[in-house]
Amino acid sequence: MSNIILLFLCIALGALLRKGKILPENGHVALNAFVINISLAALCLFYIPKIEFDLKLIFPVAVAWLNIFSAILLFTFAGKKFGWNKSLIGAVIMCAGFGNTSFVGIPVISALYGNEGLKTVMLVDQPGSFVALSTVGIAVVNFYSGSHSSAGEILKKIIRFPPFITFLLAIFLNIFQFHVPEVLDDVLSKLGATTVPLALVSVGSQLRFESPGPYTKPLAAGLLFKLIFFPLIIFILYCLILKQNGEVIEISLMEAAMAPMITSAILASSHDLEPKLCNLFIGIGIPLSLLTLTLWYLVLQQL
């Protein structure tokens, strides 16, 4: 219960800090930088060396990749049918194709499944969401905005990204069964613990409630896919067709149902792919996802 209270309290604090001008208008940039480069990196080094790898761990990693490729297929076809322009199609793909597996995912999974659930979140987030965004995501924004990044530039972005470096280090430690000294492990735990409150304050400070106006239909289509249809696809594929169950599968489905990713929306906006629509996906998608995530969690508890 305390984790649920923390979730709503920190989001509210973020909104209040922005409205009271205590937090600068772009204060979330600094918070995001700390969470991504320090807090998430610490979580990687704390949890991943302790994971016992088996074939079932493919399922959480696959969630992010299935998300973006299904969004590309659906909205490339739907966008042409509805007469959307190129930048609109690109914006919807980017916002509906990536889930908020860290800024919203970590606090939610921590609240529902405890800290043990964060091991699975790290797999969804790092080899899943981050690598998919850094490769397929960059290719999508380049195509729909008309700009171009070479394969070498994309590779440099991946290699130089601190959480990805620490992810590779954590995998190395796991493979060779190297145990991090207890004192250092405690430091990583404390740094990782900053992820939830800082991420939620950042999310709260970025929430904007505006009228969708001409973006109503693409916004509704994107959110319907992201919050309902895509997790339904994962549910049918993982639970009904492949007959998988257990906490790893439950967390994979919950991560599939997360709100649109803030980073992918920022990436799309920075390439002039309908910035207002991208902001709407975040401002409306995050609070709405708290309701739909609750519904998905109740469904899973009935299995």
Side-chain angles (χ1 to χ4, degrees):
M1 186 63 185
S2 61
N3 283 334
I4 300 292
I5 294 172
L6 180 68
L7 191 154
F8 287 104
L9 177 62
C10 287
I11 289 177
L13 284 173
L16 289 171
L17 287 172
R18 188 196 77 242
K19 288 195 174 186
K21 301 189 183 300
I22 298 171
L23 191 69
E25 190 64 25
N26 63 345
H28 64 273
V29 175
L31 290 175
N32 291 353
F34 187 90
V35 169
I36 290 171
N37 295 294
I38 305 298
S39 305
L40 284 178
L43 281 180
C44 271
L45 286 172
F46 181 75
Y47 283 111
I48 290 180
K50 301 176 179 68
I51 294 174
E52 294 183 13
F53 286 99
D54 60 42
L55 288 176
K56 201 166 188 175
L57 297 184
I58 292 172
F59 293 106
V61 176
V63 164
W65 295 93
L66 290 169
N67 194 172
I68 182 56
F69 284 121
S70 58
I72 290 171
L73 289 173
L74 175 62
F75 292 111
T76 297
F77 172 78
K80 290 178 180 177
K81 185 175 181 180
F82 295 140
W84 296 348
N85 62 42
K86 199 172 180 181
S87 66
L88 186 57
I89 295 173
V92 176
I93 289 173
M94 288 299 293
C95 292
F98 293 97
N100 205 319
T101 54
S102 54
F103 282 81
V104 177
I106 289 174
V108 169
I109 298 304
S110 175
L112 297 177
Y113 295 93
N115 289 336
E116 276 298 302
L118 297 184
K119 294 179 183 179
T120 304
V121 174
M122 289 297 101
L123 293 172
V124 178
D125 191 62
Q126 293 298 307
S129 296
F130 166 68
V131 179
L133 179 65
S134 301
T135 52
V136 181
I138 289 175
V140 168
V141 294
N142 283 336
F143 177 78
Y144 284 100
S145 67
S147 60
H148 299 282
S149 291
S150 67
E153 289 173 331
I154 293 173
L155 186 61
K156 283 180 183 177
K157 287 180 181 179
I158 297 172
I159 292 173
R160 292 174 180 175
F161 194 57
F164 187 67
I165 295 170
T166 53
F167 170 74
L168 293 179
L169 176 58
I171 290 292
F172 176 85
L173 295 175
N174 186 294
I175 290 172
F176 291 97
Q177 297 185 333
F178 181 84
H179 297 289
V180 177
E182 189 175 338
V183 173
L184 181 56
D185 209 39
D186 190 49
V187 170
L188 292 173
S189 175
K190 287 180 169 60
L191 279 174
T194 63
T195 304
V196 171
L198 291 182
L200 289 171
V201 169
S202 173
V203 167
S205 71
Q206 294 175 77
L207 292 182
R208 302 286 192 279
F209 300 101
E210 304 175 74
S211 172
Y215 292 119
T216 299
K217 288 183 179 179
L219 176 66
L223 289 178
L224 192 61
F225 169 79
K226 184 68 200 74
L227 303 179
I228 303 297
F229 287 156
F230 179 63
L232 182 61
I233 290 170
I234 294 298
F235 176 76
I236 293 170
L237 179 62
Y238 284 12
C239 300
L240 303 184
I241 297 176
L242 298 176
K243 306 293 184 185
Q244 297 296 313
N245 54 56
E247 190 172 283
V248 169
I249 299 302
E250 285 189 24
I251 293 173
S252 298
L253 192 145
M254 292 294 290
E255 287 281 56
M258 290 296 161
M261 180 193 281
I262 293 172
T263 310
S264 66
I266 292 171
L267 182 61
S269 295
S270 68
H271 284 75
D272 290 323
L273 296 180
E274 310 295 335
K276 183 178 178 181
L277 175 59
C278 294
N279 290 334
L280 286 167
F281 267 107
I282 300 305
I284 295 175
I286 289 177
L288 184 60
S289 72
L290 298 177
L291 173 61
T292 54
L293 283 166
T294 301
L295 296 176
W296 278 113
Y297 182 71
L298 292 175
V299 169
L300 289 172
Q301 298 315 297
Q302 301 306 311
L303 299 179

